[in-house]
Structures are given as C-alpha cells and as structure tokens.
Amino acid sequence: MSAPTQDRIDIEARKKGAEIIYKTFLNLLSSLEKGADPKLVIPKRTLANTVFDVEKGILKLGVSKLERKFLDMNESRRFMQTLVMAANIYRALIENEYPTIRDLYYRGKHTIVFHDLDGRHREENTWDEQAESDAALRDLEVMLGLLREDLMILSKEKGKVVGNMRIRSGNDIIDLSKLGHGAYAIESTPDLIEFLDVDAEFVLVVEKDAVFQQLHRVGFWQKYKSILVTGAGQPDRATRRFVRRLNEELGLPVYVLTDSDPYGWYIYSVFKVGSIQLSYESERLATPKAKFLGVSMSDIFGYGRKKPYLTEEERRNYIIKAKDLDIRRAKELMNYSWFRTPLWKREIDMFLDKKAKLEIEAMASKGLKFLAFQYLPEKIQTHDWIE
Amino acid sequence: MSAPTQDRIDIEARKKGAEIIYKTFLNLLSSLEKGADPKLVIPKRTLANTVFDVEKGILKLGVSKLERKFLDMNESRRFMQTLVMAANIYRALIENEYPTIRDLYYRGKHTIVFHDLDGRHREENTWDEQAESDAALRDLEVMLGLLREDLMILSKEKGKVVGNMRIRSGNDIIDLSKLGHGAYAIESTPDLIEFLDVDAEFVLVVEKDAVFQQLHRVGFWQKYKSILVTGAGQPDRATRRFVRRLNEELGLPVYVLTDSDPYGWYIYSVFKVGSIQLSYESERLATPKAKFLGVSMSDIFGYGRKKPYLTEEERRNYIIKAKDLDIRRAKELMNYSWFRTPLWKREIDMFLDKKAKLEIEAMASKGLKFLAFQYLPEKIQTHDWIE
C-alpha cells in the first residue's frame, strides 16, 4: 500500500534511515563472520558525558563511548534489546509504517523461550516496561546519529503555528496565514516540512496556548509580519525542531514569551539550549540564538531608567508570591552557564529579592491591545530582551 | 481597532452576547428602581439538580433555581462577584477582546476599600482564587443561557481535525483535506466555524493523539471518506462541541475509538453524555448518538461467534492487568443509566471477569494497515459497536 499523503521527502527520509540502520548492523555481521565478539559502540548518554558547547551555545554529548558486548552477561540483555528495536524500526521504515514509541514497545515485547546449558526450560521477556524500550531507542538514536523523527517515529503533537508563510507538507501546500481562528498543528516529523513563501520578520514563541490564540485573533502576526508558535507549556520535540529550522534556515530572530518565573525561564532554556537529560537531541532541536523577550522582572518593577509596565495597584493585584520551590529552581538555574550572563544574573537576583512572579495573563488582562500593540512591539523595537 | 480576522459571525456573536447581558442586568436595574431588593435568579448547578434526559440522552440541569440576594450577608459577596464578572465580560465583548478564564480572574481581581458602619477602614478582595471567578462565570453561563464560547472566552485548545471537508473560520476557507501530515487545531469558539463542502460518511473520534496521526498518515480518512478528530485524551469543550455539530448539523454518525479500559469508556461518555459536574454544558456539547467503536472486550477475547482480533500470544504480550482503581471505576460507571444497556453490561462484566485492559496502541502494533484497513472498517461495516 502506498499511503496517500506519502511524498518524495517521506520516501527519501525512509530510504536514508533504513540504509544507515542496514549499514550499521552489516558491520556487526561482518565482524561476526570474522570471528570477533559481537559488540555495539554507543556514545555515552550520561550527564558526565554532557558538555555545553560554548561556541554553538548548546548542550551536546561528549566523545565518550561505551562498548555493549553480547558475550558479557551484564550487557547481553541490553544488546538484544537494541537489536530488537533496530529490527522493528527497520521493518517499519520499509513497510511505510509510522510507529509511536508505545507501538515500538508493544512490537518488540515478547517472551524468548530457551533451554539453558543444563537443559532447563527458561523464559526471558525482551522487555517488561516501556522505560526499557525507550532506552533502547535512545541508544539507537545516538548510535545511528539520527533522531527518532528521522526514523518516522511519531510522538504526541502539541505545537501550533500561524503566520505569514506557506509550507509544503506531504503533497499539500498549506497557507499558514489562512487558518481562520484555528492554527496548524505542527507534525511530529518537522523535517518533512518544506518552507515556501515566507514574508515574516521574526518568530514569536508563546509559552501558553491561550495567549497564542489571543495574539492570533487580535491580528498580531498580520500587523507585525511574523510567525507565531506555541509549544503549549513544555514544548515537544517537533515544536523545538520547527522553531530551530525557522531560525537557522530562514534567518528569522526568535523571541520567547513566557510567564515571569523560573518555570517560564526553563521553558525558554529548553528552546534555546535543550534539555539536560537528553543533550544528544540539542544539536538538532535547540535554537541557541533564541531571545527571552519577557515577561521580565524589569517589566514588572522597572529598572534604572526603564519604567515598569505595571502600576503599583496592578502589581498588588497581579503578582503571585514565589514559593520555596520557585526559589530553589531559580538557584538551580544560576548554575547553568547560559544563565550566568549579566542580564540573567540581574533577572534572577531581582526575582530572589522580590520573591515575585507574574503570569503573562496578567499583562493580557490589561487588554489585548496593550499586550499585542504596545508591550510586545516596544520590547522588540528597543531590544529589551535577555539572551 | 478592528481585528483583521474578525468576521461577520464573530461580530454577530458578540452583539448577541452583549445584548443578553445588557437585558438581564437592565431587569435588575428596573427592579431596583421600583424599590425591590436586588437579587439574581440562577439555575442551581448542584448534583441534586442534575438530571439525565432519557429522550435526548444527555445530562442537563433540572428546574431548581436559587435566588442570590444582595441584602443577604451570606450572598452579597457572590452577588458582587457575579456582577464583576458580567461587567468584565460585557466590556470584553464590546471592545473586541478575547479573554481567557485566567484573564477574567485577573481583570476582576481588585481590593474594595470601604468604611463600615462604625467608620472603620475595611478592605475586601473581589476574589482571591480563580476557583471563585470560575464559579461566578459558571453562574453567569446558566443564568444567561449562554456558554463561555458564546461570550468569546477562549480556553486552551487541544482538539485537532482532518478529513474530507472545507470550513470557513474568520474570513478564511480551510480545506481540511489539504493539511499535509499536520492537522487543523479546532478553535476555542467552534460555533464560529461554518461547514462548507462535506464529502464524508462518518466521523471517527480517536482518544489518542498519536493514533490520530497514524490514521491520518496512512490515509484512513481518504480511503473511507470520513472526518478524523482527536481530543488528545480528555476532550476539551471545543472538541466536544465541534463533534456534536458534525453529528447534528451534518447528520454524520460519530464513532469513538479509545483504549479498552474504564478511562477510555469515560472519555466516550464525556463525548456522548457530558460531564457530570458540568451538566449545563451538555445540551450544547454532548453527542448523545455517539457510538463506542472499540477497543471492546470482545475484540480482545471474542464472544459467541465473534472471533477475537488478537491471538493468544498477542494477548499474553499486550494485555495489561487491571488495577484496583480500574475495577472501582468500572463499578462506578455501572451506576450511570447510559451504561446500563445490555451491551455495556456485557462489556463491563467481561472486564470485571478478565481484569484485563488493552491500549489501542496494541492494535496499532499489529501494523497500521491492520488497524486502518481491517479492524476499523470491519467494525463499522458489521455494526460492531456499543451504544
């Protein structure tokens, strides 16, 4: 069956993924034929092997590698799991399937029945929990140098986009400026998207879905030629990759708008630098040039000559007292090198001093016109952001 | 400012909402001028006043009403809150704003300073928590006979749709069959959508976002002319209203596909009958004719002459043992009258007997072609669903 929405890019991506898997495991086979012990060489995904590349501004894996040997009793189970995973992904690629990580867990799950050296009947499950199959997938990703999206593995989608551009996905051309009040849900495999006509000057990434809708309805991206994206909270991989491509391939500046609190800063950080646990993704998913547009502490309280956007009465009504957890999170963030710039230091210090946080909705409640046509454009025009 | 995406339907909806608010509170004013005690008459939103309308097949509010009197010390605070909420919504309507419930919380939040009869300085907040402003909004909805969507109040969007139809939203026409691998995010105000050309024979509502994507990619809705919707887990109001409109206005049958467990059944129930806590929404949001397509217990184990879709080995690998919570939930559902049909009784009894649940991903892991081109069409053709 040839899937109706399957297109040239999809076919090529499958071919590439399948070839890399094929070659990698052909090497294993050749070394076996030469009588060598079967082993896989896999970059280490440990924190100790996670480095911050100052030049590129992203987290990535270091050079340490591990050898997973089939003949090592402690390793043979994970060796087997890696092969089960690779075989199922390979099959899905050539059969035009789009598995999810949950599917891959189910597809690989079965019981191996064997007799041990003493002739006893033994049973061993390929895996019991999805945590095991997920780990096998991550090992494969770093081993092959491909992300799951390159292997046509789907995840839950959360990201949305509208704005002044047209894209091609599958065999369709979608005009992201003609979506009414709705939006385009960003596909799980954003590298299959082709950028066509773009008439935008910047990208605004909005943490909260409802604020995204408000800016969309009020015509923000039409007035200030732009592309509006939301990850609806903690962004998924596809949204991060999509934003990165807008920045890298189209050269558009990326501004991030979140709540004014450590959780908002962390969301910004995930867009900019990547997640600390999964640093191997960052090279493809992070947007190191992303700028934190706000809401910043100086927007709330003013700083030096800058006047605050809130009156004292608004501050009294809108500010939420920071909790211990917020304070703890803020102090944690101070440890990361990308939060050690002078402006971030000032931001975090002000937060720790005032112990105050603010939701972006508080700005919106001053009126959408204020948010869309005063606050945001003024911040962009005066370069009032934090990098 | 006239918002660029604002259209005729939007303008009319605002006008209607504003007029109803105006008239309702004009009545209050007139009765005040006549010297009457100020009071609001509000349908009771209590469980005791929630009835299941057997004929319509939905939950709705009964006829009980409460009187909220300004001059009653126990009521005056909530009286004031209702008016604060009404005033802010009215203002937003005529100023072309699109507030969220969080905005309405902020917009209404302030401190009333007054002197009591003894001349003492007193302060009272309009409200402290969003729970209070949300309750005021719900009171207004039942009092005005309008849902928040009619009042242009936005919520987080989760629902997505693709399929053989075109719609108008705002001033744009969107072809839901030309969205590549992505999808259309259903807007918060689905009554502003106009259905244009529809070439579909049914609606398939899929609980899980990733399964929705898979069926989309594999071309399910193209092969079986249909409209594919997901609420991505527990559906939001907009998705429910959208599905209801597809059923009611276009006469399309609605099939719901969930995991085979009490949580999946509950999601089906929310689409079909509405949520028990918020029954006043159901008259507009529920789709009483929705059918539960699967995954059913007889799909897993067979029943009578029906053969199971899973082999014994697949059952061994895929079935998840039900937890105590699942059992408890199943027994709860048995109390609801719409789960007391013979087929539902059989389904729940089988579940309680086997203590087994199954994720839809387990079916997908037998191959997308199996799921899309065998399991689903066979179920629909043989009317193998539960109502």
Side-chain angles (χ1 to χ4, degrees), chain A residues 65-236:
Chain A
K65 290 189 161 64
L66 64 85
E67 294 196 340
R68 182 157 297 155
K69 294 178 183 165
F70 179 60
L71 295 181
D72 180 336
M73 283 290 280
N74 296 319
E75 296 281 332
S76 58
R77 180 174 160 87
R78 297 197 70 181
F79 183 96
M80 170 272 294
Q81 290 175 337
T82 315
L83 264 64
V84 166
M85 181 56 75
N88 280 322
I89 292 176
Y90 183 78
R91 195 171 298 128
L93 282 171
I94 59 172
E95 287 179 357
N96 290 331
E97 294 262 342
Y98 297 92
T100 64
I101 55 174
R102 189 72 180 156
D103 289 338
L104 290 169
Y105 159 73
Y106 279 118
R107 287 182 193 197
K109 186 166 176 257
H110 60 267
T111 307
I112 301 167
V113 181
F114 62 101
H115 292 90
D116 66 13
L117 292 177
D118 303 324
R120 273 179 305 213
H121 176 92
R122 298 288 279 270
E123 290 191 359
E124 171 107 13
N125 287 341
T126 46
W127 43 60
D128 294 302
E129 301 294 327
Q130 196 183 330
E132 290 179 280
S133 59
D134 284 356
L137 173 59
R138 285 195 203 99
D139 281 344
L140 261 181
E141 287 181 284
V142 294
M143 195 177 137
L144 302 171
L146 291 172
L147 294 185
R148 54 193 69 183
E149 291 79 9
D150 300 318
L151 300 165
M152 300 295 128
I153 297 166
L154 305 186
S155 324
K156 188 173 171 171
E157 298 167 349
K158 293 204 307 169
K160 297 192 299 188
V161 59
V162 285
N164 268 330
M165 72 184 293
R166 293 197 309 153
I167 60 171
R168 190 197 310 274
S169 166
N171 294 311
D172 300 327
I173 290 171
I174 302 120
D175 189 337
L176 300 183
S177 72
K178 300 275 180 211
L179 295 169
H181 310 123
Y184 187 67
I186 300 167
E187 65 181 86
S188 291
T189 48
D191 277 281
L192 301 189
I193 294 173
E194 213 177 312
F195 297 143
L196 303 175
D197 323 300
V198 182
D199 183 24
E201 284 160 17
F202 62 90
V203 178
L204 181 66
V205 177
V206 183
E207 173 190 352
K208 284 183 167 163
D209 177 87
V211 178
F212 167 89
Q213 290 179 54
Q214 292 180 309
L215 292 173
H216 175 26
R217 297 235 184 183
V218 86
F220 176 83
W221 59 264
Q222 278 133 322
K223 181 152 182 179
Y224 308 100
K225 287 184 177 179
S226 55
I227 294 164
L228 209 55
V229 174
T230 184
Q234 190 63 40
D236 60 20

Side-chain angles (χ1 to χ4, degrees), chain B residues 7-75:
Chain B
D7 57 310
R8 190 179 44 81
I9 299 183
D10 183 291
I11 293 166
E12 280 169 16
R14 285 176 185 279
K15 212 178 138 196
K16 183 186 160 198
E19 268 172 16
I20 292 177
I21 295 178
Y22 189 86
K23 276 186 197 159
T24 304
F25 289 92
L26 197 63
N27 284 342
L28 181 68
L29 213 61
S30 332
S31 75
L32 262 175
E33 280 171 352
K34 286 178 201 147
D37 287 354
K39 68 177 181 193
L40 302 169
V41 181
I42 305 175
K44 277 191 188 164
R45 293 189 289 103
T46 56
L47 271 183
N49 193 34
T50 298
V51 293
F52 182 63
D53 183 328
V54 179
E55 204 172 304
K56 289 187 180 170
I58 52 171
L59 286 167
K60 53 186 231 179
L61 287 189
V63 293
S64 299
K65 290 188 160 66
L66 64 86
E67 293 197 340
R68 183 156 296 155
K69 294 177 182 166
F70 180 59
L71 295 181
D72 179 337
M73 284 290 281
N74 296 320
E75 296 280 334

Side-chain angles (χ1 to χ4, degrees), chain B residues 240-251:
Chain B
R240 288 156 61 199
R241 176 70 188 150
F242 186 74
V243 169
R244 156 71 169 267
R245 288 193 59 205
L246 290 174
N247 176 251
E248 189 174 53
E249 296 170 31
L250 303 176

Side-chain angles (χ1 to χ4, degrees), chain A residues 167-353:
Chain A
I167 60 171
R168 190 197 310 274
S169 166
N171 294 311
D172 300 327
I173 290 171
I174 302 120
D175 189 337
L176 300 183
S177 72
K178 300 275 180 211
L179 295 169
H181 310 123
Y184 187 67
I186 300 167
E187 65 181 86
S188 291
T189 48
D191 277 281
L192 301 189
I193 294 173
E194 213 177 312
F195 297 143
L196 303 175
D197 323 300
V198 182
D199 183 24
E201 284 160 17
F202 62 90
V203 178
L204 181 66
V205 177
V206 183
E207 173 190 352
K208 284 183 167 163
D209 177 87
V211 178
F212 167 89
Q213 290 179 54
Q214 292 180 309
L215 292 173
H216 175 26
R217 297 235 184 183
V218 86
F220 176 83
W221 59 264
Q222 278 133 322
K223 181 152 182 179
Y224 308 100
K225 287 184 177 179
S226 55
I227 294 164
L228 209 55
V229 174
T230 184
Q234 190 63 40
D236 60 20
R237 301 163 53 109
T239 311
R240 289 155 61 199
R241 175 69 188 152
F242 185 75
V243 168
R244 156 70 170 267
R245 288 193 59 204
L246 291 173
N247 176 252
E248 189 174 54
E249 295 170 32
L250 304 175
L252 296 174
V254 170
Y255 306 112
V256 181
L257 179 69
T258 73
D259 288 343
S260 182
D261 62 28
Y263 188 71
W265 303 339
Y266 184 68
I267 284 178
Y268 160 74
S269 170
V270 169
F271 273 109
K272 185 184 181 77
V273 182
S275 112
I276 297 158
Q277 279 77 32
L278 297 170
S279 58
Y280 69 95
E281 312 169 334
S282 304
E283 261 184 279
R284 297 277 301 283
L285 305 187
T287 307
K289 288 181 192 153
K291 295 160 174 57
F292 178 76
L293 193 63
V295 177
S296 67
M297 288 289 145
S298 61
D299 294 339
I300 306 172
F301 297 102
Y303 187 86
R305 285 185 180 185
K306 177 179 164 180
K307 283 189 188 145
Y309 284 97
L310 296 183
T311 64
E312 209 180 309
E313 198 197 337
E314 286 167 342
R315 276 201 292 272
R316 202 169 47 237
N317 285 329
Y318 298 160
I319 280 176
I320 301 170
K321 206 176 163 309
K323 292 182 184 143
D324 290 347
L325 181 66
D326 297 313
I327 306 285
R328 225 161 40 234
R329 271 196 185 143
K331 286 183 177 161
E332 258 172 52
L333 293 182
M334 290 175 103
N335 293 324
Y336 300 139
S337 52
W338 55 99
F339 278 116
R340 284 200 203 131
T341 63
L343 281 180
W344 269 116
K345 200 179 161 335
R346 188 180 93 189
E347 180 76 8
I348 299 176
D349 283 346
M350 268 183 95
F351 168 79
L352 292 175
D353 177 41

Side-chain angles (χ1 to χ4, degrees), chain B residues 60-122:
Chain B
K60 53 186 231 179
L61 287 189
V63 293
S64 299
K65 290 188 160 66
L66 64 86
E67 293 197 340
R68 183 156 296 155
K69 294 177 182 166
F70 180 59
L71 295 181
D72 179 337
M73 284 290 281
N74 296 320
E75 296 280 334
S76 59
R77 181 175 160 84
R78 297 196 70 179
F79 184 97
M80 170 274 293
Q81 289 175 338
T82 314
L83 264 64
V84 166
M85 182 55 77
N88 280 323
I89 292 176
Y90 183 78
R91 194 171 299 127
L93 282 171
I94 59 173
E95 287 180 357
N96 290 332
E97 294 263 341
Y98 297 92
T100 64
I101 54 173
R102 190 73 181 155
D103 288 339
L104 291 169
Y105 160 73
Y106 279 118
R107 286 180 194 201
K109 187 167 177 258
H110 60 268
T111 306
I112 301 167
V113 180
F114 62 102
H115 293 88
D116 66 14
L117 292 177
D118 304 323
R120 273 179 303 214
H121 176 94
R122 299 288 281 269

